[in-house]
Amino acid sequence: AAAIAIARADKDLKAQKESEQRAREAVENKAAEQDGRDEDSWFDDFFADAKQACEKKEQKQEPVREEKAKAEKTEEEEEREKRRKAQEEGKQALEARLKAQKQAAEAKKKQLEERRKAAAAQVREKSKSQAAPEEEIWSDALVPAKEEQQLRQARLSWDECWEHPCAGERRSNGSAIFCGPCDGWISMGDPFDHRDF
């Protein structure tokens, strides 16, 4: 109980000191404000001439500052205008390039289409020309002519320029070629026709 009473007494003492401190500070602040007001009026009277001279000088320099600011603004506007024009020119150049690329792609597409049409027409013509003899094959007059043609195209000797890594000896009658890896003779369909090897 004594400890509680001591604690309360300390607490009351602290609160009293704090309130006294606040009161002192308030009085000092009021005094400082009044002194400051008195000093301000004295300084205002003392520096009034210098202040007026400075204000006049600033008023004279204000038009110069305004002109300078206007000049800077016009320079900035000119710079912005230049940048805008350059951007516009770049944009137009890009659009022109894209347009040219598109036209080139369309021209290439047309050219490919024309080539396809021409190739298709050639295929149709070939098929028509090949279809016509097939129809005539049934004719007895053409059969002997075709056999004669085969006889004319038949080889009579081996092609001396032809080479194959597996090819060995060749029969003199053109009926077969010896295959080294197979260790045997490979028969030819037509005499001296190495394409069957």
Side-chain angles (χ1 to χ4, degrees):
I4 294 173
I6 292 173
R8 280 186 193 161
D10 285 339
K11 198 176 191 183
D12 291 338
L13 186 63
K14 283 182 185 179
Q16 187 179 6
K17 284 182 181 180
E18 286 177 6
S19 64
E20 286 176 3
Q21 182 70 23
R22 284 188 214 135
R24 271 191 230 132
E25 287 176 3
V27 170
E28 288 173 3
N29 286 339
K30 283 182 184 178
E33 285 178 14
Q34 281 195 349
D35 288 344
R37 286 185 199 148
D38 292 342
E39 286 178 10
D40 285 345
S41 61
W42 183 80
F43 275 110
D44 287 345
D45 293 341
F46 185 76
F47 290 111
D49 294 335
K51 203 176 206 182
Q52 287 176 358
C54 184
E55 287 175 0
K56 285 180 183 178
K57 189 177 181 181
E58 283 182 14
Q59 286 176 357
K60 286 179 184 177
Q61 290 179 352
E62 193 171 316
V64 174
R65 285 187 202 139
E66 288 177 2
E67 288 178 21
K68 210 177 205 182
K70 286 179 184 178
E72 288 176 1
K73 283 182 181 179
T74 55
E75 287 177 9
E76 287 177 9
E77 289 173 3
E78 288 175 2
E79 188 67 30
R80 285 184 194 144
E81 187 65 24
K82 286 180 184 178
R83 277 189 256 138
R84 189 188 62 74
K85 285 181 181 179
Q87 288 175 347
E88 189 66 31
E89 289 173 1
K91 187 177 178 182
Q92 289 174 355
L94 177 65
E95 289 173 355
R97 269 187 264 135
L98 290 174
K99 187 177 179 181
Q101 287 176 350
K102 187 176 181 180
Q103 289 174 347
E106 288 175 1
K108 188 175 182 179
K109 189 176 179 181
K110 285 180 183 177
Q111 195 176 36
L112 287 173
E113 191 63 32
E114 288 174 5
R115 286 182 186 170
R116 285 184 192 140
K117 288 179 182 179
Q122 286 178 351
V123 168
R124 275 188 243 123
E125 288 177 18
K126 284 183 181 180
S127 64
K128 285 179 183 179
S129 65
Q130 289 175 356
E134 287 178 11
E135 292 174 4
E136 295 175 10
I137 289 176
W138 299 106
S139 167
D140 290 336
L142 288 180
V143 173
K146 198 169 185 181
E147 290 175 1
E148 288 175 21
Q149 203 174 33
Q150 286 179 350
L151 290 175
R152 276 186 258 147
Q153 290 179 355
R155 295 178 181 244
L156 302 174
S157 65
W158 289 109
D159 185 5
E160 296 297 323
C161 297
W162 180 78
E163 290 183 8
H164 192 280
C166 300
E169 288 185 50
R170 299 172 190 152
R171 291 211 172 134
S172 59
N173 63 0
S175 63
I177 300 175
F178 185 81
C179 179
C182 298
D183 197 30
W185 289 92
I186 306 295
S187 299
M188 301 293 112
D190 293 327
F192 304 105
D193 190 7
H194 57 78
R195 289 177 292 180
D196 293 340
F197 181 75

